[in-house]
């Protein structure tokens, strides 16, 4: 794609059915139905070609939006992991205490 | 003369001062515009096929780059 550089092509591509596609496709469909409703046409039954076209455009755009989103998240994750590798002193694992060591003895007050 | 006086006199002005060649009729909603319907469905088919082609190209590229299969 135009906005994803070469390194992003090594990422697993999103499926044809993905969250952004479903949302934008649904938005396109609702836009077509709203257009019908404003023009006093039956919302679902009329202008099926419009509904199909707007849903398709939304679905197509959603696929590329998901691809770009995956690329941006992968880049951020890589930068974060590299920083953590360069500064291990800031990310020392905390020693874990069991619950038995923290809990005080139970003295019921009657 | 007041403004309303001027407006009242405009009633007596000859209405058709110019003639126009434009005609208009109410849009016929019973017969669909088949050209537009065909274009809409055709572009939908085109976009879906483009999506599937791009998706399979992306999967192939991913597998090539990471040496899977």
């Amino acid at each position: 794609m135009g906005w994803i550089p070469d390194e992003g092509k090594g990422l697993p591509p999103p499926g044809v059915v993905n969250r952004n596609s479903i949302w934008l496709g649904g938005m396109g469909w609702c836009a077509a139905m709203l257009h019908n409703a404003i023009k006093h046409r039956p919302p679902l039954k009329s202008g099926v070609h419009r509904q199909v076209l707007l849903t398709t455009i939304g679905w197509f755009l959603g696929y590329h939006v998901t691809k770009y989103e995956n690329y941006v998240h992968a880049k951020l994750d890589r930068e974060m992991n590299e920083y953590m590798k360069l500064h291990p002193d800031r990310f020392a694992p905390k020693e874990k205490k069991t619950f038995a060591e923290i809990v005080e003895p139970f003295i019921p007050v009657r | 003369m007041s403004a309303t006086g001027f407006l009242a006199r405009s009633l007596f002005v000859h209405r058709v001062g110019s003639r126009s060649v434009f005609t208009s009729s109410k849009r016929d909603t019973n017969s669909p515009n088949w050209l537009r319907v065909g274009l809409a469905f055709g572009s939908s088919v085109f976009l879906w096929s483009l999506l599937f082609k791009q998706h399979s190209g992306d999967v192939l590229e991913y597998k090539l780059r990471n040496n899977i299969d």
Side-chain angles (χ1 to χ4, degrees):
Chain A
M1 261 286 101
W3 56 61
I4 298 181
D6 202 47
E7 54 179 4
K9 300 204 165 86
L11 288 171
V16 173
V17 176
N18 59 74
R19 209 175 45 180
N20 290 320
S21 279
I22 293 174
W23 183 260
L24 288 179
M27 285 287 106
W29 190 38
C30 289
M33 287 202 288
L34 194 64
H35 186 74
N36 283 342
I38 290 172
K39 293 272 177 109
H40 295 283
R41 294 192 286 243
L44 263 177
K45 288 191 289 190
S46 79
V48 178
H49 63 291
R50 261 189 303 270
Q51 295 177 27
V52 167
L53 180 64
L54 287 184
T55 309
T56 305
I57 290 173
W59 200 281
F60 187 80
L61 289 176
Y63 176 78
H64 289 291
V65 164
T66 306
K67 241 190 352 171
Y68 182 65
E69 179 194 2
N70 288 348
Y71 168 69
V72 164
H73 286 165
K75 200 156 95 79
L76 287 173
D77 287 343
R78 182 183 67 184
E79 284 162 11
M80 181 183 77
N81 287 330
E82 280 179 0
Y83 182 82
M84 283 169 73
K85 272 201 213 120
L86 284 174
H87 299 88
D89 46 315
R90 296 190 181 198
F91 299 99
K94 258 195 328 204
E95 51 169 87
K96 293 194 179 162
K97 288 191 180 165
T98 64
F99 214 67
E101 293 163 30
I102 306 175
V103 162
E104 297 171 16
F106 178 55
I107 303 168
V109 176
R110 298 258 165 88
Chain B
M1 272 207 159
S2 63
T4 45
F6 274 122
L7 286 170
R9 275 160 70 86
S10 67
L11 272 177
F12 301 107
V13 169
H14 186 50
R15 275 171 207 259
V16 185
S18 63
R19 291 165 69 178
S20 168
V21 76
F22 300 110
T23 58
S24 98
S25 54
K26 200 167 152 74
R27 191 182 279 193
D28 180 17
T29 48
N30 269 333
S31 59
N33 184 347
W34 290 111
L35 176 68
R36 256 208 313 218
V37 170
L39 279 176
F41 277 128
S43 35
S44 308
V45 166
F46 168 71
L47 278 175
W48 277 113
S49 59
L50 184 64
L51 178 69
F52 276 107
K53 248 198 325 194
Q54 280 183 348
H55 176 67
S56 62
D58 290 340
V59 167
L60 189 66
E61 178 92 37
Y62 165 66
K63 285 187 178 165
L64 276 176
R65 281 178 189 236
N66 294 309
N67 301 318
I68 307 172
D69 289 341

